[in-house]
Every structure is written in structure tokens, then in C-alpha cells.
Amino acid sequence: MKMVVCVKRVPDTAESEVHIDASGKDIDKSRLSFGINECDNYAVEEAIQIKERLGEGTVTVISLGDKDSDEVIRMALAKGGDEAIRLEDEAFKGGDGLAVAKALAAAIKGLEYDIVFTGALADDDGYGVVPAALGELLGVPHATYVKKVEILEPGKRAKVGRELEGGLLEFLEIDLPCVLGIQTGINEPRYASFKGIKQAAKKEIAIKSAADLGLDASEVGEAGSWAVLEQFTPPVVGEMAEILEGEPDETAAKLAAILKEKGLV
Amino acid sequence: MKDIFVLMEHRRGEMRDVSVEMLCGAAKLGGTVVAVLLGKDVDAFAEKAAGYADKVLYVNDPLFENYNSEAYQKALSALIKEHGPGLLLIGNTAQGVDLAPALAVELGASLVTDITALEMDGDKPKPTRTFYGGKLDAHFAMKDADLYILTVREATFTAEEPSKSGEIVKVDNPVTEDISYRKFVEYVEPEVGEVDITQSAMLVGVGRGIREDKNLPVVEELAQALGADLAASRAVVDAGWLPADRQVGISGKTVKPKLYLAVGISGAFQHVTGMKGSEVIVAINKDPDAPIFGIADYGIVDDLFKVVPKLTEKIKELKGA
């Protein structure tokens, strides 16, 4: 089976402060660390596990981004990816989920594939658009929020479980080729081996521009998006928590006293 | 103004709250509000929707007994081509996210997902949504299109009392193609574990701030001192540090304990949805901008590894006294 995995390099903001930059349309990324989007990491693992289970197949890693994205591509190669393509063009900048899906679709159309894996949604923008949009653009069925994949017949049909609200799983059968948007927790992503990292360092990453993909600048990036981000603002919050001030010893004592007063201790 | 279509979402005999919320939100935008209901023998939902809509388009067909994005896409596409609405609202749910992007691509509509607020500029939506796990609001301008589609986060609009009695129009199923290339099989319930956290009086919720599973004793000791059970954010369950039945949030449990003590949890919407009904919410997080402080009653902005052991100690002292 031929599999494609789409990965994105994103800033890790889960535990960091986020500051809006001077443009008002982006954040100050100078103090943030970057890595593979969380869902994408599970998508890479799922493709590699299927290849290992079947004992045959290839995994092609695709990412849209500048040279910095090579780091996440090479990590996916080190874990068991076979080939890599990076989509880079000034014209791709500022695109939403549709614009990204169009670039990915143009790159994937030229490949043979049975399953395209993507993350279900991105940690940064959270659009969640790529799996279903990519399926439609490629003219193949899709399913997103996928938390189980079973290959019923290689190259023909799969059974997938989608995670719904409350943790309910919706199982469906789907014809291949298809696009699957992978949810976190579907597997246990491996760490790359030292040997894998060394081998991946030597692999070639094919770079494709919009023109290489037969895309006009008007179809991608901000011009090819459904919507354009006009401005970031701090979120509107309700009444903020009463923040207990002091050293750990003091804050802990204050909180314990409050819990006691409320009859919770 | 062109009509506003609102997709009614339901599963296994229950209509999702977001469906009624969207009907109420749509009613404030001006224009005719049309509820679109696809299902099998869901007359009761048609009646309910009619209380909030000017019209209900009801397709009653076995094809829609269970949700299938292919069936939904084909039916909606046909209904939209026939009726020409200017705006379509879909819940930003596991169904909505599976459906809306493909439908928008097919129809050449403009789409923004997971909106949390909406203003209109004439016929054109100006949606707001969040970025970076709720740490920022992002305001969008949409590209001109004949149809705008928005997927709407729960509680973006407020459900009100029914005040309309829309006409229920039964429509023949417009889908004639074979869609066996994507076929519903079954629902499988999540596994049930030892502790039912929906019944716990007190919960200590653990988030990704705990960093490694070997650090879990820090919060286990606090939970033990309090007589609380442990709950978890998605990140902790995904990592396999706590079992899935401890997960609080949209894809986990909804809990309403007397005390929810969130430790190292940033408070992304997906988690908050499952615990915001708790009586007293306390958050310990080193990021002062963590959204959890926006819903907590009390907060400590500090390193959890410094504060939690002290808190455990103080609670033991109080209990011993």
C-alpha cells in the first residue's frame, strides 16, 4: 500500500504565553519552540504501523512550509518514512485550510496513493478543514477524527472508527483510496532511533513550488483562501479567577484555608 | 437578504443543543430561518425545530438513520442548489467538521470553522474564532461567495424559548446515487472503568503540565489528601498516563463536582466544556494567560511542582487538626 502523510510544523503554545506582534495578525514566535503538530505525529505513526503490519508499502511525507519544516519531515523519515516532499513558495503564505488543502491536493494528485493521512486539526489555527477538503479536492472519500484504522483489504477497503462527542466511536467502512484525518491517542508514537535519524539525514527532500504543482498564485495562500485573518485580540474572558499571591508556601496556605471555609476540606 | 439554512444535528434519538442555539442565533440576523432536518422518522425533531424556525425542510429517509457525511453532503448540496440560501450554519461537532469543508469545496462556498462569535456586514458574515487553544481571538473577513458556511461552536448563541411555528415541508430524498464507498457500520461505547468520575464529589484534574507519568504521585497525593478522584485532560489520556475513563471534556465526560482543582491544565475549550459546571473551580498553572483562569474561581500562577506538595501538606494539617 502506498501511503502519504501530511505534516505541519507548529509553535508549541500549550504552556507558553502568547503575544500578538506589531502587525496584529501574527504572534511573536521568537521565544517559542517548534515541533510537529500533535495529531500529525499520530498520523505518521499510524502510517508506519500499517506498513509494518502489512509487511509492505511506502510512506511519503509531505509538508507545506519553509526550510525550517525539514526538521519535522526528517523526524518522520527517521521513524520509518520513505520519501519526502516539501511545498514551498511565497505564494503559499497566509493561506487558510482550503489554500493548504489545494496545495497538498496538487502535490498528491501526481502520486500513487491508497491512503492519505493528515492530522484531524492543527494546534495553532485549529481549523480542522484539511481532511474533508482534501478528500473533496482529490475526489476520494474521507473521514476525520479517526481513532481506529483496520485495513480490510489492502488497496481496496478499510474500517475506521471516528471519535464522536463523549468518546463514542462511529465505525464505518470506506473505499480506498481515501483521506483519513487522525485524532490524537490513536496509537503510541515512537521515538526515532539514532540509526533512523542518521539515515534520514541523508535522504533527499523534493522541493515543489506553486508553479511545479501547476498552481497559479491566485489559487493558493491568502488569495486562494476562504477567509483572511484581519486581527488578533486577547480573548474575551468572563470574570477572572481571584489570583492568590505569594510564595508557594503562602498561596498553598491561602488556598487550603479557602477550601476549608467552603467545607471542602 | 437570502435565506439562512441551519442544519439540525441529531444522533440516536437526541437532537444536539447546538442545533437550537444556531436557530436562535440565526433568528437575530434577519432573513428567513430554515431548519434542515435529515433523518429517519424524526417527526418530533421537526416539530421542535418548527418552534424556532420560519420553515423546516424535513427529509425522512432510511439513508439518514445514522449520520454519513457523504449522504449529508449530497442531500444538502441538492437542497442548497434548489433553494439558494445565502448562509448555512452547521454545528462544529464531529459530524460538522467531517461535512462542512467538503461541502464548501463542492459548492464553491466560503467557509470558516469553529466560530465563537458572529457579526454581519450586510449579507456577509464577519466571524470570530479562537487560535492557539483559546489563547487568542481571531477576527476574519470572508471572501465573497454566493453561499457562506459557518461551523458554530457550542454555546456561541444562546438557546431561548420557542417563539415560532414554522411550516414543516416534507421533501423527497434528493440522494439517488450509491454511496456504499462510505458505509456506517456501528457505534461503539467507550469503555467503562473502575471509577465513574461523573459521580465524584471532588476531582483533581491533571493536564499536560505534569510533564511525565513519573510525576503523577504529586497529584495523586493531593487527591488522596482531599479525598478526591483524579481526572485528566486529553493530553494526559493520549499519552497513556491515565485511562480514558478519566478524561474530562467534549470527547470525554462532563462532570459537575463540588470542587474541580485543575493542575497544569491550560483550559482549552474542549476541556472546559466538560467541567465548567463544577461548583468551585481552582486552577494552578504557571501561565498567567492560561484560559483556565477565565473560568476558575481561584487561581495560583506558579509552578505546580512547587505549589502542589505544599498544598497537600496544608490540607493534611487541616484534616489532622
Side-chain angles (χ1 to χ4, degrees), chain B residues 54-208:
Chain B
D54 300 305
K55 188 159 93 176
V56 181
L57 291 179
Y58 175 25
V59 183
N60 184 3
D61 192 279
L63 183 64
F64 304 110
E65 181 167 13
N66 291 297
Y67 169 80
N68 181 336
S69 70
E70 293 292 337
Y72 265 63
Q73 185 180 333
K74 290 200 157 43
L76 280 169
S77 171
L79 292 172
I80 286 164
K81 282 173 188 157
E82 187 186 340
H83 296 271
L87 177 63
L88 166 63
L89 303 180
I90 298 175
N92 192 74
T93 59
Q95 292 188 3
V97 175
D98 201 45
L99 167 68
L103 182 65
V105 168
E106 182 195 337
L107 297 174
S110 281
L111 165 73
V112 172
T113 54
D114 200 14
I115 70 156
T116 55
L118 177 62
E119 284 178 39
M120 295 297 284
D121 179 7
D123 277 2
K124 197 167 162 177
K126 287 176 70 73
T128 298
R129 62 191 307 291
T130 69
F131 262 56
Y132 302 108
K135 290 191 174 179
L136 291 180
D137 279 352
H139 306 274
F140 279 85
M142 295 185 76
K143 292 285 176 62
D144 289 336
D146 290 333
L147 171 68
Y148 299 99
I149 305 179
L150 303 170
T151 68
V152 180
R153 182 180 282 192
E154 264 177 57
T156 296
F157 301 117
T158 310
E160 289 162 17
E161 291 301 309
S163 61
K164 297 189 178 188
S165 50
E167 182 195 359
I168 298 173
V169 181
K170 290 193 174 168
V171 183
D172 288 338
N173 179 13
V175 185
T176 51
E177 301 99 312
D178 172 29
I179 52 160
S180 58
Y181 52 83
R182 177 175 161 148
K183 193 178 106 200
F184 173 85
V185 180
E186 61 175 341
Y187 290 119
V188 175
E189 299 284 346
E191 282 173 34
V192 180
E194 287 167 22
V195 178
D196 180 1
I197 56 169
T198 65
Q199 301 301 314
S200 304
M202 288 195 265
L203 288 169
V204 173
V206 191
R208 92 173 60 227

Side-chain angles (χ1 to χ4, degrees), chain B residues 205-218:
Chain B
V206 191
R208 92 173 60 227
I210 197 75
R211 298 191 176 282
E212 290 181 73
D213 56 348
K214 71 175 174 59
N215 294 329
L216 275 177
V218 175

